[in-house]
Amino acid sequence: AGELARAATVTPATASGHLAGLLDAGLVSAEARGRHRYYRLADAEVAHALEALALVAERGDEARGWGSPHRQALRHARCCYGHLAGTLGVRLMQALLEVQGLRPDGPGLALTAAGRAWLATLDFAVPAPLPRRRYAYACMDWSERQDHLAGQLADALLDHLLGQGWLRRGEGRALTVTPRGAQQLLPRLGPLPAA
């Protein structure tokens, strides 16, 4: 609560009051550790709702909001609940769509034979679906305002890209394309949109 108060430039009492309201509403959860309480978003649905609100809040303010180097790094490539997001994540999904590698399947997406073949060019072994887990679906990217790929398939793909040494974790959720990734991954994605 103290860190949130400093970040929001409010008093600790104000931050605690707001956190108590969010906790009562089930939007956050809290964990006591010693004399400190740590807060986190209650679940992925709350996080997606906040990202949707960010899309509305940042309308018309886009250029100014992405000026800092840290925000530019997040916009380029970041981890979103275990999968790749940002410009790179959007481009990855677009590359799969361009080869007709994904098709609608109820509320989600199914991987086609063409998609499996394209992923094989990345030396990626497509995982079998897990029970009670969404396999593949479109996730609105809050920085690009286009969909990137989410779900079990996307999580496994990000793990693979990190394992190949094509991406590496940066500060916070930011991901960086390595020189090896620039040679091996980026050509397969085609041209990335201008920043």
Side-chain angles (χ1 to χ4, degrees), residues 164-183:
Q164 291 287 100
W166 295 351
L167 297 177
R168 74 169 170 262
R169 296 194 184 275
E171 182 182 333
R173 297 185 339 169
L175 298 168
T176 304
V177 178
T178 65
R180 192 169 165 198
Q183 290 178 338

Side-chain angles (χ1 to χ4, degrees), residues 124 127-131 133-137 150-158:
F124 177 65
L130 295 172
R133 179 87 202 274
R134 290 174 73 186
Y135 190 69
Y137 62 95
Q152 177 198 342
L153 175 66
D155 291 359
L157 186 52
L158 176 57

Side-chain angles (χ1 to χ4, degrees), residues 45-138:
E45 289 178 352
V46 174
H48 284 289
L50 288 175
E51 288 185 351
L53 286 173
L55 287 173
V56 174
E58 293 179 355
R59 276 193 298 205
D61 210 17
E62 198 170 335
R64 187 167 36 108
W66 293 105
S68 77
H70 174 69
R71 296 271 289 173
Q72 287 175 3
L74 280 177
R75 184 175 191 178
H76 181 67
R78 68 180 173 280
C79 184
C80 175
Y81 313 109
H83 55 265
L84 180 61
T87 304
L88 207 57
V90 168
R91 187 62 198 114
L92 177 70
M93 184 162 176
Q94 288 172 346
L96 272 166
L97 291 171
E98 286 166 7
V99 298
Q100 298 178 351
L102 298 168
R103 65 171 172 75
D105 184 32
L109 299 166
L111 188 63
T112 66
R116 287 178 180 278
W118 188 85
L119 289 170
T121 69
L122 302 176
D123 297 323
F124 177 65
V126 175
L130 295 172
R132 297 190 209 129
R133 179 87 202 274
R134 290 174 73 186
Y135 190 69
Y137 62 95

Side-chain angles (χ1 to χ4, degrees), residues 1 10 38 172:
V10 297
Y38 294 92

